[in-house]
Amino acid sequence: MLTTHRKQLLLARLAADGHLVAKDLAAELGTSEDTIRRDLRELAQAGQLQRVHGGALPASPAMGDLQARAALSPDDKVALGKAGAALIQPGQLVILDGGTTALQLARHLPPTLRATLVTHSPAVALEAAKQPLVDILMLGGRLFRHSGVNVGATVIEAASRLRADLYFMGVTGVHPETGLSTGDDEEAAVKRALHARAAETVVLASSEKLMAASPFLVAPLADISQLLVPANTPARVLKALAASGVSIKKVA
């Protein structure tokens, strides 16, 4: 089988099954595991999948920059943002991550809400500032332009002084086995620090993030308090995610 045809087969199988096992594919196709691993490595370099131990998972389309992500699942993100905003109670200290879904949450904060919002995203802070009763604390650091958030030791050190009621974590991959992941190591470190300082962590996950993986682990899926997903999430995806032990809520 030609390399091009074999790669097309791998991608088709990945789309159908949601995962690839190199050993099984080598036996099925009558080739070596080294050949399959090389194919997977080249496909990963092209951004078409995410390699994991023993095989591959779908790569998250949400690993693009903010402009690219804004075009992905816009209706889902509005619904998730509204649902997330509704979870905030008066008087709470809430950490809000960066990203396009977090921006929707900030956009849908009730005008009567009195709470304190902590964020390392300048765009999220400016959006939340439109609500006059919300106090806003910015975590400073080096601006990571790709995601529009501040990262680095300064953010992590500031996070260590927080005791938040709620943290809305943004990720690019949500998978029952590989957990919650993102595409940058510094971003992942900041997310872990913020997660450690919150009584509850909620992830708002649009459809392109579900059952996908990114290179850097943030936390196991079962570590968060709740996962909010779109109402049209397939039953097989819900079942697979629920097997991790996470609490899942569908939002319309």
Side-chain angles (χ1 to χ4, degrees):
M1 181 182 291
L2 295 174
T3 300
T4 302
H5 293 163
R6 190 171 56 246
K7 288 181 178 178
Q8 290 173 347
L9 176 62
L10 295 178
L11 292 174
R13 187 68 61 82
L14 181 60
D17 298 345
H19 69 284
L20 296 175
V21 179
K23 182 178 180 180
D24 294 347
L25 286 164
E28 178 184 340
L29 300 178
T31 188
S32 69
E33 286 188 54
D34 284 343
T35 297
I36 297 297
R37 283 195 290 267
R38 184 181 66 244
D39 289 344
L40 296 180
R41 183 167 58 251
E42 291 174 357
L43 289 168
Q45 289 171 348
Q48 295 180 281
L49 53 78
Q50 175 63 50
R51 293 180 71 203
V52 295
H53 181 72
L57 292 173
S60 173
M63 283 185 50
D65 61 18
L66 279 174
Q67 185 175 357
R69 277 184 266 169
L72 296 172
S73 308
D75 294 339
D76 285 353
K77 291 174 181 178
V78 171
L80 290 165
K82 289 179 179 178
L87 294 177
I88 301 174
Q89 300 298 311
Q92 285 189 325
L93 176 65
V94 178
I95 305 171
L96 185 52
D97 220 329
T100 51
T101 308
L103 200 59
Q104 288 296 334
L105 190 156
R107 193 164 289 158
H108 289 93
L109 291 172
T112 57
L113 178 68
R114 291 183 180 272
T116 300
L117 183 72
V118 180
T119 185
H120 59 308
S121 164
V124 167
L126 288 171
E127 187 64 44
K130 296 175 183 178
Q131 303 301 337
L133 303 181
V134 175
D135 289 330
I136 300 165
L137 300 178
M138 281 290 299
L139 301 180
R142 180 181 66 83
L143 181 65
F144 179 43
R145 288 181 174 85
H146 178 275
S147 299
V149 293
N150 298 325
V151 296
T154 304
V155 180
I156 292 173
E157 197 278 330
S160 70
R161 299 193 294 271
L162 299 173
R163 283 193 178 88
D165 298 290
L166 192 57
Y167 169 39
F168 289 97
M169 178 195 290
V171 294
T172 57
V174 179
H175 194 280
E177 295 176 11
T178 57
L180 301 159
S181 54
T182 194
D184 179 79
D185 58 341
E186 281 194 287
E187 259 199 295
V190 169
K191 293 175 191 296
R192 285 192 294 271
L194 296 173
H195 172 51
R197 305 308 300 171
E200 296 183 67
T201 295
V202 174
V203 170
L204 312 176
S206 46
S207 55
E208 75 278 0
K209 301 173 183 177
L210 302 177
M211 303 304 291
S214 296
F216 297 98
L217 174 68
V218 179
L221 188 50
D223 276 12
I224 64 172
S225 306
Q226 194 170 42
L227 173 67
L228 272 58
V229 300
N232 61 355
T233 303
R236 62 177 177 81
V237 172
L238 293 173
K239 181 179 179 181
L241 294 170
S244 70
V246 70
S247 173
I248 303 174
K249 180 182 178 181
K250 294 196 294 183
V251 301

